[in-house]
Amino acid sequence: MKLASLKQGRDGQLLVVSRDLSRAVTADGIASTLQAALDYWAETEPALQALYQQLNQGGCTDSFAFDPAACASPLPRAYQWADGSAYVNHVELVRKARGAEIPASFWTDPLMYQGMSDGFIGPYEDIRLAEEAWGIDFEGEIAVITDDVPMGTTAEQTGSHIKLLMLVNDVSLRNLIPNELGKGFGFFQSKPASSFSPVAITPDELGDAWRDTKVHHRLRVHLNGKLFGEPDAGTDMTFNFARLVAHISFNRALCAGTIIGSGTVSNTDRSTGSCCLAERRMLEILEQGEARTPFMKFGDRVRIEMLDAQGQSIFGSIDQQVIKYEAL
């Protein structure tokens, strides 16, 4: 099943979207918003699935052309957004850029930070930032959305709590990170609002590509129309999503609608490219002695997408331009 949120109010209007992303229908009578659907998922999911099958079979006379540019993020705002660093290879490279080695525990215990969740950037909306000097970077990731997860849920139990998946652009301001982390209190100003794909999908949409709670497809990132990277998301993922969910529910319960990110998708095979500028710059330093790829400038555009084995878009694309923020 594929779900989206039409821009409407603060929390959008829930849409059911066809498998090929061509048509959509409102979920009137089932749930007005995605958060409302997640709050009562056991009741709403069967009805939404039935509507989804009807839509795919051409049986919805009130369907309309799906326009991802008219959509907010599937959850326009969320009670919780926690982002991990499941690809430890990426963590190792980025920390080297700051002259920091990674502790051995990073390979056995997931990293996690709690990001801004009271408002996300729509998948086709501009990324508005005041200064290029902040070191503007994109980060291509995958995220899951859970239902209610009891405190102390183990990794063996968490798979059943993963209800939806999305793609992520975790916008990062690299030049603000060193001083902020130097305070010993984590990210804040260096992590502004993130963006998510126009469509969230249930895991069954991935078929055999969803196994061991990992997504086994390539994540494609284009910068200004040129392919920047296409690493395989199922390769080199040190901590799967079950482990990430268990990590944050270790001593707290998670409410329905919690979003958990994978961190930047990264492969040890350098030929697959990168999903963020910081990783590319670090590789340039290691191979050429200096970083040659600049961070994003105003006017730059990033596109993040995942295709299935037939070359069809699974989640729709995140397609955004960076522009200068002007205070009102």
Short mmCIF file of all heavy atoms in Angstrom, two decimals, residues 222-253:
data_model
loop_
_atom_site.label_atom_id
_atom_site.label_comp_id
_atom_site.label_asym_id
_atom_site.label_seq_id
_atom_site.Cartn_x
_atom_site.Cartn_y
_atom_site.Cartn_z
N HIS A 222 20.78 12.50 -7.36
CA HIS A 222 21.27 13.36 -8.43
C HIS A 222 21.49 14.77 -7.88
O HIS A 222 20.66 15.28 -7.12
CB HIS A 222 20.26 13.43 -9.59
CG HIS A 222 20.23 12.21 -10.44
ND1 HIS A 222 19.55 11.06 -10.07
CD2 HIS A 222 20.79 11.95 -11.66
CE1 HIS A 222 19.69 10.15 -11.01
NE2 HIS A 222 20.43 10.66 -11.98
N LEU A 223 22.59 15.38 -8.25
CA LEU A 223 22.89 16.77 -7.90
C LEU A 223 22.97 17.57 -9.18
O LEU A 223 23.79 17.28 -10.06
CB LEU A 223 24.20 16.85 -7.12
CG LEU A 223 24.67 18.25 -6.73
CD1 LEU A 223 23.66 18.94 -5.81
CD2 LEU A 223 26.05 18.21 -6.05
N ASN A 224 22.10 18.56 -9.30
CA ASN A 224 22.04 19.40 -10.49
C ASN A 224 21.96 18.58 -11.78
O ASN A 224 22.61 18.86 -12.78
CB ASN A 224 23.24 20.36 -10.54
CG ASN A 224 23.22 21.35 -9.40
OD1 ASN A 224 22.16 21.79 -8.95
ND2 ASN A 224 24.39 21.70 -8.89
N GLY A 225 21.12 17.53 -11.72
CA GLY A 225 20.85 16.72 -12.90
C GLY A 225 21.85 15.63 -13.19
O GLY A 225 21.66 14.84 -14.12
N LYS A 226 22.93 15.53 -12.42
CA LYS A 226 23.95 14.51 -12.65
C LYS A 226 23.94 13.49 -11.52
O LYS A 226 23.82 13.86 -10.34
CB LYS A 226 25.34 15.15 -12.76
CG LYS A 226 25.49 16.09 -13.95
CD LYS A 226 26.90 16.66 -14.03
CE LYS A 226 27.07 17.57 -15.24
NZ LYS A 226 28.45 18.15 -15.30
N LEU A 227 24.08 12.20 -11.88
CA LEU A 227 24.09 11.15 -10.88
C LEU A 227 25.26 11.36 -9.92
O LEU A 227 26.41 11.44 -10.34
CB LEU A 227 24.19 9.78 -11.55
CG LEU A 227 24.14 8.58 -10.59
CD1 LEU A 227 22.80 8.49 -9.88
CD2 LEU A 227 24.42 7.28 -11.36
N PHE A 228 24.96 11.43 -8.63
CA PHE A 228 25.98 11.65 -7.61
C PHE A 228 26.34 10.36 -6.90
O PHE A 228 27.49 10.14 -6.52
CB PHE A 228 25.47 12.68 -6.61
CG PHE A 228 26.50 13.18 -5.64
CD1 PHE A 228 27.35 14.21 -5.98
CD2 PHE A 228 26.60 12.62 -4.38
CE1 PHE A 228 28.31 14.68 -5.08
CE2 PHE A 228 27.54 13.08 -3.47
CZ PHE A 228 28.40 14.11 -3.83
N GLY A 229 25.35 9.49 -6.72
CA GLY A 229 25.59 8.21 -6.06
C GLY A 229 24.40 7.31 -6.18
O GLY A 229 23.26 7.77 -6.35
N GLU A 230 24.65 6.01 -6.12
CA GLU A 230 23.56 5.02 -6.13
C GLU A 230 23.96 3.78 -5.34
O GLU A 230 23.95 2.66 -5.85
CB GLU A 230 23.16 4.65 -7.55
CG GLU A 230 24.29 4.24 -8.47
CD GLU A 230 23.81 3.83 -9.85
OE1 GLU A 230 22.59 3.76 -10.06
OE2 GLU A 230 24.67 3.57 -10.71
N PRO A 231 24.31 3.96 -4.05
CA PRO A 231 24.68 2.80 -3.23
C PRO A 231 23.48 1.90 -2.96
O PRO A 231 22.33 2.34 -2.97
CB PRO A 231 25.20 3.43 -1.94
CG PRO A 231 24.51 4.75 -1.89
CD PRO A 231 24.39 5.21 -3.30
N ASP A 232 23.76 0.62 -2.72
CA ASP A 232 22.72 -0.33 -2.37
C ASP A 232 22.41 -0.20 -0.88
O ASP A 232 23.29 -0.36 -0.04
CB ASP A 232 23.16 -1.75 -2.70
CG ASP A 232 22.03 -2.75 -2.54
OD1 ASP A 232 21.66 -3.03 -1.38
OD2 ASP A 232 21.52 -3.26 -3.55
N ALA A 233 21.14 0.09 -0.57
CA ALA A 233 20.77 0.35 0.82
C ALA A 233 20.84 -0.89 1.70
O ALA A 233 20.94 -0.78 2.92
CB ALA A 233 19.36 0.95 0.87
N GLY A 234 20.79 -2.08 1.10
CA GLY A 234 20.84 -3.30 1.90
C GLY A 234 22.24 -3.79 2.17
O GLY A 234 22.44 -4.72 2.97
N THR A 235 23.22 -3.17 1.52
CA THR A 235 24.62 -3.57 1.67
C THR A 235 25.31 -2.63 2.67
O THR A 235 25.09 -1.43 2.63
CB THR A 235 25.35 -3.50 0.32
OG1 THR A 235 24.66 -4.34 -0.62
CG2 THR A 235 26.80 -3.94 0.44
N ASP A 236 26.11 -3.19 3.55
CA ASP A 236 26.90 -2.41 4.51
C ASP A 236 26.06 -1.66 5.53
O ASP A 236 26.52 -0.70 6.14
CB ASP A 236 27.82 -1.42 3.78
CG ASP A 236 28.76 -2.10 2.80
OD1 ASP A 236 29.33 -3.14 3.15
OD2 ASP A 236 28.91 -1.60 1.66
N MET A 237 24.82 -2.09 5.74
CA MET A 237 23.99 -1.50 6.79
C MET A 237 24.30 -2.27 8.08
O MET A 237 23.84 -3.39 8.29
CB MET A 237 22.50 -1.60 6.44
CG MET A 237 21.59 -0.85 7.39
SD MET A 237 19.84 -0.99 6.92
CE MET A 237 19.10 0.23 8.02
N THR A 238 25.09 -1.68 8.93
CA THR A 238 25.56 -2.35 10.14
C THR A 238 24.42 -2.70 11.09
O THR A 238 24.40 -3.78 11.68
CB THR A 238 26.58 -1.46 10.87
OG1 THR A 238 27.59 -1.04 9.94
CG2 THR A 238 27.24 -2.20 12.02
N PHE A 239 23.47 -1.78 11.24
CA PHE A 239 22.32 -2.00 12.13
C PHE A 239 21.04 -1.93 11.30
O PHE A 239 20.76 -0.90 10.68
CB PHE A 239 22.28 -0.93 13.24
CG PHE A 239 23.55 -0.83 14.03
CD1 PHE A 239 24.40 0.25 13.87
CD2 PHE A 239 23.91 -1.82 14.93
CE1 PHE A 239 25.58 0.35 14.59
CE2 PHE A 239 25.09 -1.74 15.66
CZ PHE A 239 25.93 -0.65 15.49
N ASN A 240 20.27 -3.01 11.29
CA ASN A 240 19.03 -2.99 10.53
C ASN A 240 17.96 -2.20 11.29
O ASN A 240 18.17 -1.74 12.42
CB ASN A 240 18.56 -4.41 10.20
CG ASN A 240 18.24 -5.24 11.44
OD1 ASN A 240 18.14 -4.74 12.55
ND2 ASN A 240 18.06 -6.54 11.23
N PHE A 241 16.80 -2.01 10.66
CA PHE A 241 15.77 -1.18 11.28
C PHE A 241 15.23 -1.80 12.57
O PHE A 241 14.87 -1.07 13.51
CB PHE A 241 14.64 -0.90 10.29
CG PHE A 241 14.97 0.20 9.32
CD1 PHE A 241 15.17 -0.08 7.98
CD2 PHE A 241 15.09 1.51 9.75
CE1 PHE A 241 15.48 0.93 7.08
CE2 PHE A 241 15.40 2.53 8.87
CZ PHE A 241 15.60 2.25 7.53
N ALA A 242 15.16 -3.11 12.64
CA ALA A 242 14.71 -3.74 13.88
C ALA A 242 15.62 -3.35 15.04
O ALA A 242 15.16 -3.06 16.15
CB ALA A 242 14.68 -5.26 13.72
N ARG A 243 16.92 -3.32 14.77
CA ARG A 243 17.89 -2.95 15.81
C ARG A 243 17.75 -1.46 16.18
O ARG A 243 17.85 -1.09 17.36
CB ARG A 243 19.30 -3.25 15.32
CG ARG A 243 20.39 -2.95 16.33
CD ARG A 243 20.41 -3.93 17.49
NE ARG A 243 21.38 -3.53 18.50
CZ ARG A 243 22.69 -3.76 18.40
NH1 ARG A 243 23.17 -4.41 17.35
NH2 ARG A 243 23.51 -3.37 19.36
N LEU A 244 17.49 -0.62 15.20
CA LEU A 244 17.34 0.81 15.47
C LEU A 244 16.09 1.08 16.31
O LEU A 244 16.12 1.89 17.25
CB LEU A 244 17.28 1.60 14.16
CG LEU A 244 18.54 1.59 13.29
CD1 LEU A 244 18.30 2.39 12.02
CD2 LEU A 244 19.75 2.12 14.04
N VAL A 245 14.98 0.41 15.97
CA VAL A 245 13.76 0.59 16.75
C VAL A 245 13.98 0.10 18.18
O VAL A 245 13.56 0.76 19.15
CB VAL A 245 12.57 -0.14 16.10
CG1 VAL A 245 11.33 -0.04 16.97
CG2 VAL A 245 12.29 0.42 14.71
N ALA A 246 14.63 -1.03 18.34
CA ALA A 246 14.90 -1.56 19.68
C ALA A 246 15.79 -0.60 20.47
O ALA A 246 15.62 -0.45 21.69
CB ALA A 246 15.55 -2.93 19.58
N HIS A 247 16.72 0.05 19.78
CA HIS A 247 17.64 0.96 20.46
C HIS A 247 16.89 2.12 21.11
O HIS A 247 17.15 2.47 22.27
CB HIS A 247 18.68 1.50 19.48
CG HIS A 247 19.68 2.42 20.09
ND1 HIS A 247 20.74 1.97 20.84
CD2 HIS A 247 19.77 3.78 20.08
CE1 HIS A 247 21.45 3.01 21.27
NE2 HIS A 247 20.88 4.11 20.82
N ILE A 248 15.94 2.73 20.39
CA ILE A 248 15.29 3.90 20.96
C ILE A 248 14.13 3.53 21.88
O ILE A 248 13.68 4.37 22.67
CB ILE A 248 14.85 4.92 19.89
CG1 ILE A 248 13.73 4.38 19.02
CG2 ILE A 248 16.01 5.34 19.04
CD1 ILE A 248 13.13 5.45 18.14
N SER A 249 13.67 2.28 21.80
CA SER A 249 12.62 1.86 22.74
C SER A 249 13.20 1.14 23.95
O SER A 249 12.46 0.57 24.76
CB SER A 249 11.61 0.95 22.04
OG SER A 249 12.21 -0.24 21.57
N PHE A 250 14.51 1.19 24.11
CA PHE A 250 15.19 0.52 25.21
C PHE A 250 14.60 0.90 26.57
O PHE A 250 14.30 0.03 27.40
CB PHE A 250 16.69 0.88 25.17
CG PHE A 250 17.47 0.46 26.37
CD1 PHE A 250 17.76 -0.87 26.62
CD2 PHE A 250 17.96 1.42 27.26
CE1 PHE A 250 18.49 -1.25 27.74
CE2 PHE A 250 18.70 1.05 28.37
CZ PHE A 250 18.96 -0.29 28.60
N ASN A 251 14.40 2.20 26.79
CA ASN A 251 13.87 2.63 28.09
C ASN A 251 12.77 3.68 27.94
O ASN A 251 12.56 4.49 28.82
CB ASN A 251 14.98 3.16 29.00
CG ASN A 251 15.71 4.34 28.39
OD1 ASN A 251 15.41 4.76 27.28
ND2 ASN A 251 16.68 4.87 29.13
N ARG A 252 12.08 3.63 26.78
CA ARG A 252 10.94 4.52 26.58
C ARG A 252 9.97 3.88 25.60
O ARG A 252 10.39 3.14 24.70
CB ARG A 252 11.38 5.88 26.05
CG ARG A 252 11.94 5.84 24.63
CD ARG A 252 12.41 7.20 24.16
NE ARG A 252 13.63 7.59 24.83
CZ ARG A 252 14.23 8.77 24.63
NH1 ARG A 252 13.69 9.65 23.80
NH2 ARG A 252 15.35 9.06 25.25
N ALA A 253 8.71 4.14 25.77
CA ALA A 253 7.71 3.69 24.80
C ALA A 253 7.65 4.67 23.64
O ALA A 253 7.86 5.88 23.83
CB ALA A 253 6.35 3.58 25.47
#
